[in-house]
Amino acid sequence: MMNPLAGVASRYLASLAFPDFRWLWIAAMGGASAYWALIVARGTLVYEMTGSSGTVGIVTFAAMGPRFLVPPLAGYLADRFNRKDVLAAAYWANTINNGVLAALALSGSLELWHLMVLSVLNGTARTFQMTATASLVPNLVPRDTLLNAVSLNSATQQGSRLLGPGVIAPLLLVWGPGMAFVACAAFYTVGLLMVHRIQTRATGNLGRGSNVVSSMKSAVGFVARHPYLRALFVVVAFHCAMTMSFEALFPAVSFNVLDAGREGVSYLMMGVGAGGLVSSIIIAGIRQDAWRGRMLLVTGLISGLSMLGLAASTSLTVAVVSAGFMGASQAAFMALLTSKVQLLAPDEMRGRISGLNQINLGGTMAVFNLVNGFLVDYLGVATLMTILGVGFAIIVVVSLLIAAMRQIYLRGVPTAARASAARAVPAA
């Protein structure tokens, strides 16, 4: 008789049975924990220095902005060279970057322009990290566990919002941002060590003599011609713009609405992470693609409407619980969307398509964190979050009018669509 715990593990944690994916998963958790801890520590520090959500938005944009420009190069390198080597270089860069940031903070010489420059460098390296990770995941597990692997990789992004801010919350409270930045450097160091344990060599179909512009042009054309990928990219953009660009808002919520100070920002981010971690693991256990499609529709609606709870919160406890519901619905929705993109992306172009998805996802979040940072100074947190949340719920309903999205919601990604995507790869 099968051990019940073993049965649960085989369903929800199947991909972790493969050593290289396991090392990648731990590395991703370390890197993402550092990233979300940085978002909290930098945002808190900048808000205390300036008292302006707009300035917090600018610094957050500096960290996310490279995801507009860097992904074409990151995707090209992930298809041209060994994806593990590209990933290791990104972890090296961010380990050094955070070490410099911590040294400046602890020495008392950290200025706003230092934060801006180091944020740009951090965002640049993270773009390489995320693109290489997304393109490497399908190379580390069998195809029949790909959906599980993508969901578990998404779980690292959500669990890290709990782990990273959770670790630095007492550091911020007792010792200030300097020690929080030391913790971020330690997270990146753990990730670097795990990446170096990966043995798999994987690359795309780009050979010597290929160039970034022509190779990315072929990837853009592929996505534009494919009705399912095109529809998914549009929905991702709206979701990231309207429900996931909240990092610049949390300091204003904590300081102005909840009167919770530094630690309140960490607790809100932890709430998002806790909810996201639980929902990502639940999604990892859903094996039928058709059910995932229906869950995509449901979680999309909840992702928008859940923002209304945080908009109406007046106590830290209620706000953290509301943030948990936000995180759960957003994480589930993005894990489901990302798994469908990975199912449709041929391995020969996976790095470039992952790069395009990073532009779509991270670039959109960068711009709207900047916009939201200024809007909240004029509209207020409750009004802005209500407009965005209701607006995205309407977008989900309207997306049912798109034939490809309606097919995905009701039946999942058709097998024929996956096969045609694999056959339609242009020559490198």
Side-chain angles (χ1 to χ4, degrees), residues 53-236:
S53 292
T55 308
V56 176
I58 291 173
V59 175
T60 303
F61 175 80
M64 294 183 174
R67 291 168 76 176
F68 259 133
L69 302 174
V70 177
L73 177 59
Y76 169 82
L77 293 177
D79 281 345
R80 174 68 179 83
F81 299 103
N82 183 15
R83 289 164 180 164
K84 174 216 170 164
D85 293 341
V86 176
L87 186 59
Y91 273 92
W92 269 113
N94 262 335
T95 300
I96 295 170
N97 177 286
N98 279 258
V100 172
L101 179 61
L104 288 171
L106 291 172
S107 67
S109 54
L110 182 63
E111 299 180 15
L112 189 59
W113 74 267
H114 293 140
L115 278 170
M116 294 287 291
V117 172
L118 291 171
S119 294
V120 171
L121 295 176
N122 170 248
T124 299
R126 178 165 168 79
T127 302
F128 279 94
Q129 172 198 326
M130 295 186 71
T131 302
T133 297
S135 57
L136 185 57
V137 165
N139 301 129
L140 305 183
V141 298
R143 186 172 182 82
D144 61 356
T145 60
L146 176 58
L147 296 176
N148 179 267
V150 170
S151 296
L152 288 181
N153 185 56
S154 176
T156 68
Q157 303 304 312
Q158 307 309 321
S160 62
R161 297 191 194 195
L162 178 63
L163 178 60
V167 167
I168 70 162
L171 300 179
L172 281 173
L173 187 61
V174 178
W175 289 290
M179 289 305 297
F181 296 142
V182 170
C184 294
F187 276 129
Y188 275 120
T189 301
V190 171
L192 177 63
L193 294 173
M194 294 301 102
V195 169
H196 279 295
R197 302 197 67 170
I198 297 172
Q199 301 298 313
T200 301
R201 294 186 59 84
T203 186
N205 69 341
L206 294 178
R208 195 180 298 272
S210 57
N211 65 75
V212 177
V213 175
S214 62
S215 63
M216 288 305 299
K217 183 179 178 181
S218 65
V220 170
F222 182 85
V223 171
R225 290 190 302 272
H226 198 289
Y228 292 91
L229 279 173
R230 186 173 64 240
L232 288 168
F233 268 55
V234 170
V235 174
V236 165

Side-chain angles (χ1 to χ4, degrees), residues 181-417:
F181 296 142
V182 170
C184 294
F187 276 129
Y188 275 120
T189 301
V190 171
L192 177 63
L193 294 173
M194 294 301 102
V195 169
H196 279 295
R197 302 197 67 170
I198 297 172
Q199 301 298 313
T200 301
R201 294 186 59 84
T203 186
N205 69 341
L206 294 178
R208 195 180 298 272
S210 57
N211 65 75
V212 177
V213 175
S214 62
S215 63
M216 288 305 299
K217 183 179 178 181
S218 65
V220 170
F222 182 85
V223 171
R225 290 190 302 272
H226 198 289
Y228 292 91
L229 279 173
R230 186 173 64 240
L232 288 168
F233 268 55
V234 170
V235 174
V236 165
F238 275 110
H239 186 252
C240 292
M242 302 180 76
T243 74
M244 296 187 67
S245 301
F246 54 75
E247 287 87 351
L249 307 181
F250 276 6
V253 173
S254 181
F255 280 85
N256 297 344
V257 178
L258 305 175
D259 195 27
R262 290 177 176 177
E263 60 270 31
V265 183
S266 290
Y267 294 148
L268 288 172
M269 194 67 76
M270 289 168 66
V272 172
L277 177 61
V278 171
S279 68
S280 295
I281 293 175
I282 291 173
I283 293 298
I286 301 176
R287 296 178 177 178
Q288 295 82 13
D289 195 40
W291 273 105
R292 284 174 169 255
R294 294 161 197 162
M295 287 293 294
L296 182 66
L297 177 61
V298 172
T299 56
L301 290 170
I302 298 174
S303 183
L305 297 177
S306 64
M307 296 180 71
L308 304 184
L310 183 57
S313 298
T314 56
S315 73
L316 181 59
T317 300
V318 174
V320 170
V321 172
S322 299
F325 280 104
M326 277 177 54
S329 55
Q330 290 172 6
F333 189 74
M334 288 306 298
L336 291 162
L337 277 173
T338 302
S339 67
K340 294 182 186 305
V341 170
Q342 293 288 14
L343 276 173
L344 291 166
D347 189 59
E348 293 85 350
M349 300 182 72
R350 201 178 301 278
R352 284 163 284 169
I353 290 177
S354 295
L356 290 176
N357 203 35
Q358 288 302 316
I359 295 176
N360 192 35
L361 193 157
T364 302
M365 289 174 64
V367 169
F368 279 86
N369 262 294
L370 178 62
V371 171
N372 289 343
F374 285 99
L375 285 178
V376 74
D377 287 334
Y378 293 97
L379 297 177
V381 173
T383 299
L384 180 59
M385 296 192 78
T386 299
I387 292 171
L388 294 174
V390 172
F392 184 70
I394 293 172
I395 291 293
V396 172
V397 173
V398 171
S399 70
L400 282 164
L401 300 176
I402 303 173
M405 286 306 302
R406 189 166 60 250
Q407 168 72 41
I408 290 172
Y409 288 143
L410 300 179
R411 298 182 179 85
V413 179
T415 303

